[in-house]
Amino acid sequence: MDLDSLRFANFSDLDAAITDWEQMVTKLKVLQDDAKDALKAKSDKANWAGENATVTRAFVDKTAGEFADAHTQAETITKILTDTRGELVGYRAQLDAAIHRGVQKNLTALDTGEGSFTVTMNIHPDRAAKGTTLPEHTQQDVDAFRDEIQNILKKATESDTSAAKVLTLIVDQAKYGFSDAGYSGRDSAAKAVAEAEKAAKILTKDPHDVTLTELNTLNTTLAAYKNDPLFAERFATQVEPKKILEFYAGVADPYQGFGRDPKFFEQAKQLQKNLGITLGTATLSDSDKMQGWEEKMVKLGPDRLGIDDANDPTGFGVMSNLMRFGDYDDQFLNDYGDKLIAYDKERNVKDMSPWVNNWNQGDLNFYGKNDRGRDPMTGFLEALGHNPDASTQFFANPRELHQAGENPQVTWSRREAEGVPSLYELAS
């Protein structure tokens, strides 16, 4: 933020916007209550049959929900604008006070354009009136004055830009309708986004180099924010889908884990759950970035990741174990399931499933003694179990559903033969 932009800022337009949003919040609250008490309540009590019992009731529920989301979004926007205005007014007051103190030492700050400023003497001795005694200052005074102004402008810029970022993210959450992302103000929303960016940086590391401390930090952050819409969307879109799968496979692979602190696998187990829930929350966003992310993840499904971990699994092999946890978007689950079913049918041969043939998949599931995560269909069906609407849509479409991994004759396991423990055993 430029020095003059803050020093001479006129907040009248922002004040008017806040007033408009406050009025909008009040009006939407009335509509929300009417939709809940008059519309949805009557719909719930109605003795409908046939299509009315399904289509119409679902439409009423969705409409009532949209009014609630509209109120939540308007309230969040109002709080962010109000917080930002308060912060900027505060920084302007700090700037005025700093400049006033500088004048007492014959110093002032001048805006030079393009976000920069210069510190100069307020009155040059050559231009001072005859007999005027000017305040003296040292180079230390000049440096301290410059640093104070820079610090104020830095904070004001952060407040302004972070507000713009979170407002854009909130609006982008829902392409049609409104987002249910609610925050108490700019600080809480901006913190969620900042924490997402910090956590995402850990996933960009080589999973073999990640430390127990870093994995613990990642899990702590994901556990705290896994249901936060802005956090989840920002976190997911900061890392390419393939890198996320590579990271989890590298952390989970027991071969790579030999020699590590046993607590590492306790953290790896938590990562499967926390990462799965976080990615599920992220898929609920309608932002263009998240839509692109989902398309890439589905496309990755049949492909091997090209890594040494977990016997170089497919995208399906890793992602299906993560989606055992969390609430995933209906359309994403249907698109993912369609591709998985097609691939399963293509690869499956008589009396030999590509999933239960254990040399083909590494250990990727920590939850269940008898389920080492070899069959991605199992994880996908668990994901459907968390989402009744997606499940209804998926099974309503005509498909030849083939459940891989049901041939009792295929029992050979190289890992079991070599005595390699399952993830469940390592994490227990």
Side-chain angles (χ1 to χ4, degrees):
M1 179 174 288
D2 294 342
L3 184 143
D4 283 354
S5 296
L6 179 61
R7 188 179 183 186
F8 304 112
N10 183 345
F11 294 108
S12 59
D13 289 343
L14 182 56
D15 291 339
I18 292 172
T19 298
D20 289 343
W21 277 107
E22 288 173 339
Q23 293 173 354
M24 182 63 70
V25 169
T26 301
K27 294 174 182 177
L28 287 173
K29 176 60 176 170
V30 174
L31 293 175
Q32 176 189 355
D33 292 342
D34 287 345
K36 177 182 177 182
D37 299 333
L39 185 64
K40 188 178 185 304
K42 291 179 180 179
S43 172
D44 291 342
K45 294 178 181 178
N47 186 22
W48 283 342
E51 290 190 0
N52 274 333
T54 54
V55 178
T56 305
R57 177 166 284 159
F59 174 77
V60 170
D61 290 348
K62 182 174 179 60
T63 301
E66 283 294 330
F67 278 112
D69 289 347
H71 176 260
T72 297
Q73 182 167 320
E75 193 170 45
T76 298
I77 291 173
T78 302
K79 290 176 179 178
I80 292 173
L81 291 177
T82 302
D83 278 0
T84 305
R85 184 208 183 274
E87 290 176 357
L88 291 178
V89 169
Y91 292 133
R92 184 179 63 181
Q94 291 179 27
L95 180 62
D96 288 341
I99 291 176
H100 178 71
R101 288 193 300 272
V103 170
Q104 294 175 348
K105 293 185 178 182
N106 196 29
L107 295 173
T108 192
L110 297 178
D111 194 324
T112 57
E114 299 182 357
S116 62
F117 68 93
T118 185
V119 173
T120 185
M121 287 184 286
N122 189 44
I123 300 176
H124 196 279
D126 293 344
R127 294 192 295 272
K130 187 175 181 180
T132 300
T133 301
L134 297 175
E136 295 184 357
H137 57 261
T138 65
Q139 185 60 44
Q140 185 177 5
D141 292 329
V142 173
D143 293 343
F145 181 61
R146 177 202 62 206
D147 292 346
E148 184 178 12
I149 299 296
Q150 282 182 337
N151 188 48
I152 294 171
L153 293 178
K154 180 182 178 181
K155 290 180 179 179
T157 300
E158 181 181 349
S159 178
D160 185 49
T161 56
S162 64
K165 179 189 290 187
V166 297
L167 286 171
T168 300
L169 289 172
I170 287 172
V171 172
D172 287 347
Q173 286 285 306
K175 187 168 293 186
Y176 306 104
F178 304 92
S179 167
D180 63 352
Y183 296 89
S184 60
R186 187 204 66 86
D187 287 348
S188 61
K191 184 178 180 182
V193 173
E195 289 295 323
E197 293 171 351
K198 285 169 55 180
K201 287 183 179 179
I202 298 177
L203 266 73
T204 63
K205 294 191 61 173
D206 185 324
H208 306 148
D209 296 334
V210 70
T211 66
L212 177 60
T213 299
E214 288 172 325
L215 199 54
N216 180 66
T217 299
L218 177 59
N219 268 318
T220 300
T221 303
L222 293 181
Y225 287 97
K226 59 191 176 187
N227 295 311
D228 186 298
L230 290 192
F231 173 90
E233 193 266 358
R234 190 66 174 176
F235 171 81
T237 55
Q238 292 297 292
V239 189
E240 285 295 312
K242 187 173 186 288
K243 181 58 182 174
I244 292 177
L245 301 182
E246 291 173 347
F247 183 87
Y248 175 68
V251 167
D253 186 12
Y255 273 137
Q256 298 293 345
F258 286 134
R260 279 176 168 167
D261 188 325
K263 292 181 179 179
F264 188 90
F265 279 102
E266 295 175 9
Q267 289 298 320
K269 179 179 181 179
Q270 292 304 312
L271 181 64
Q272 181 185 354
K273 183 175 183 178
N274 291 329
L275 184 57
I277 295 174
T278 303
L279 295 180
T281 302
T283 64
L284 302 179
S285 169
D286 288 335
S287 72
D288 290 338
K289 284 186 177 181
M290 199 60 217
Q291 296 303 305
W293 186 97
E294 292 174 26
E295 291 173 4
K296 290 180 181 178
M297 183 62 79
V298 172
K299 187 177 181 180
L300 273 173
D303 300 334
R304 293 203 171 278
L305 299 180
I307 59 177
D308 295 331
D309 306 303
N311 287 326
D312 190 14
T314 62
F316 286 136
V318 182
M319 187 61 199
S320 287
N321 281 294
L322 293 175
M323 65 168 56
R324 290 169 185 265
F325 303 94
D327 178 15
Y328 284 76
D329 176 68
D330 295 0
Q331 190 58 54
F332 172 73
L333 286 177
N334 276 269
D335 292 344
Y336 183 95
D338 286 342
K339 188 110 177 180
L340 175 57
I341 292 291
Y343 181 70
D344 183 74
K345 289 166 59 179
E346 176 186 332
R347 289 295 304 274
N348 195 69
V349 295
K350 186 176 181 181
D351 296 331
M352 182 64 73
S353 165
W355 306 124
V356 298
N357 190 13
N358 286 337
W359 55 263
N360 196 44
Q361 289 290 129
D363 288 0
L364 293 166
N365 178 41
F366 286 89
Y367 295 82
K369 290 183 178 180
N370 300 318
D371 185 355
R372 300 171 72 175
R374 308 298 176 87
D375 184 353
M377 191 69 70
T378 304
F380 171 65
L381 291 175
E382 283 194 36
L384 287 181
H386 303 152
N387 194 322
D389 290 341
S391 180
T392 299
Q393 292 175 25
F394 188 76
F395 290 110
N397 293 331
R399 295 180 181 85
E400 181 186 343
L401 293 176
H402 171 72
Q403 175 62 40
E406 294 180 349
N407 186 345
Q409 296 178 358
V410 183
T411 58
W412 178 78
S413 169
R414 178 174 67 84
R415 293 233 165 168
E416 291 170 357
E418 294 177 354
V420 178
S422 69
L423 292 175
Y424 181 89
E425 293 167 334
L426 285 167
S428 297

